[in-house]
Amino acid sequence: MRILYLSKNIENYKAANYQKEFYDALSKSTSLFVYGPGYSYFDENKKLDNIIKLYGPFSIIFVGHLWLNDGKNKEVDPWPESGLSKINLKKFIFLNKEYANLDKKLIWIKKNKFSCVFSHHQNCKKWESRAKTRFKFLPFAYNKNYFFFSDKKRRYDLAFSGVLQNSRKGKVQSDIREKILNRLYFTLFQIPLFKRKKYRHLSIFWNSIPNSFIGYILSRIFKTYKFLSIKKYAQIQRDTKLYINSKSPMNLISPRYFENIASGCYILTEKNNYLSKLLPKISYNEFANDLSNFDQVLNETLMEFNKSKNNRRKNSNLIKKKHNWNIRVQTVLKVIKFFLSK
């Protein structure tokens, strides 16, 4: 199958590894021709039908995660004059960041007459009537090349790395990560200064991005936050007993849950009823959303960790078999072939 894959240049994209991981897995199972802003051969003055004649033929058009713009003040389509709606090929898209610019994205999808929309949101089918097309829920996954089980002794009792709260803040995500930070540390501008007395016995790896501009600048100056390569990020997980996780925007179950389990971490997470539908229960422990039992759950889970080696290894193998990106791509291709046969 030869696919015209519309995407901005993803090669140097450092945020959200899952976008490139899906692209990489898809490229191994199909023949992709990628076209979009950031590529030297992209020409916004041409139409899609010109591109198809020049580089085709193609079986389908697939619009990747990175195509649609998320900012409210931007045109949702980076190539509005492409003529996509007039192309007769079957079209598919991965709707990304459903919490940002959703109304404009759904209007754009409806206008361009897609056969099916893939989404990482578990309730995505509720948008079918608005977009006038089919939706298929596809959970996130993980990169099995970097995240894997390790028997080596783990140096950190507890770890977290990432943003404290999505930039759109309370509209889509709670501030629970910041509350945990303030519980564990004395802080200034969301920068951890030193651990509070009751947590000083713990070895903690904390690498968070402050929400405030001042906090972000200070975190870079004093090196309380640094960007981690995927290799280093994966190593941190293999070095960690318990990893803190929480609800992503719109309660998306993020790739980190799968990465944690694959790496043999025990997940410490806020209460979330959706987790049991995707993850083995013995892979995580939940604390109350108001943190009222955080210390109790933390201590109990640390005690459980050393006794749970066999279960953690079993869970790691389960995630590897069911939740890697190659498996997700096979599901996508199965759906595409179904629509091509109609």
Side-chain angles (χ1 to χ4, degrees), residues 78-96:
W79 188 20
E81 303 303 322
S82 68
L84 178 61
S85 64
K86 299 176 182 178
I87 302 298
N88 290 325
L89 288 172
K90 297 280 187 182
K91 288 167 277 190
F92 302 85
I93 183 174
F94 232 122
L95 178 61
N96 191 42

Side-chain angles (χ1 to χ4, degrees), residues 35-133:
Y35 195 79
Y39 291 96
S40 60
Y41 49 88
F42 174 71
D43 186 349
E44 64 179 1
N45 296 315
K46 288 185 178 179
K47 300 287 186 181
L48 254 178
D49 57 357
N50 300 133
I51 302 306
I52 292 171
K53 290 176 184 176
L54 186 61
Y55 298 105
F58 301 103
S59 304
I60 65 162
I61 294 175
F62 198 108
V63 179
H65 286 89
L66 199 57
W67 185 257
L68 296 181
N69 292 319
D70 301 315
K72 287 185 177 180
N73 298 323
K74 286 185 177 182
E75 169 73 47
V76 70
D77 187 348
W79 188 20
E81 303 303 322
S82 68
L84 178 61
S85 64
K86 299 176 182 178
I87 302 298
N88 290 325
L89 288 172
K90 297 280 187 182
K91 288 167 277 190
F92 302 85
I93 183 174
F94 232 122
L95 178 61
N96 191 42
K97 296 186 179 179
E98 293 85 347
Y99 52 88
N101 233 1
L102 179 62
D103 291 338
K104 288 183 179 180
K105 289 177 180 178
L106 293 178
I107 291 171
W108 184 85
I109 289 169
K110 179 181 177 181
K111 172 187 173 184
N112 288 286
K113 304 170 187 173
F114 284 85
S115 296
C116 186
V117 179
F118 297 97
S119 170
H120 296 304
H121 193 282
Q122 58 273 2
N123 293 325
C124 62
K125 283 190 173 294
K126 66 183 178 180
W127 299 316
E128 287 185 336
S129 60
R130 292 173 63 185
K132 299 298 181 185
T133 190

Side-chain angles (χ1 to χ4, degrees), residues 9 106 122 125 198 235 342:
N9 193 324
L106 293 178
Q122 58 273 2
K125 283 190 173 294
K198 67 189 302 185
Q235 183 62 56
K342 293 178 67 175

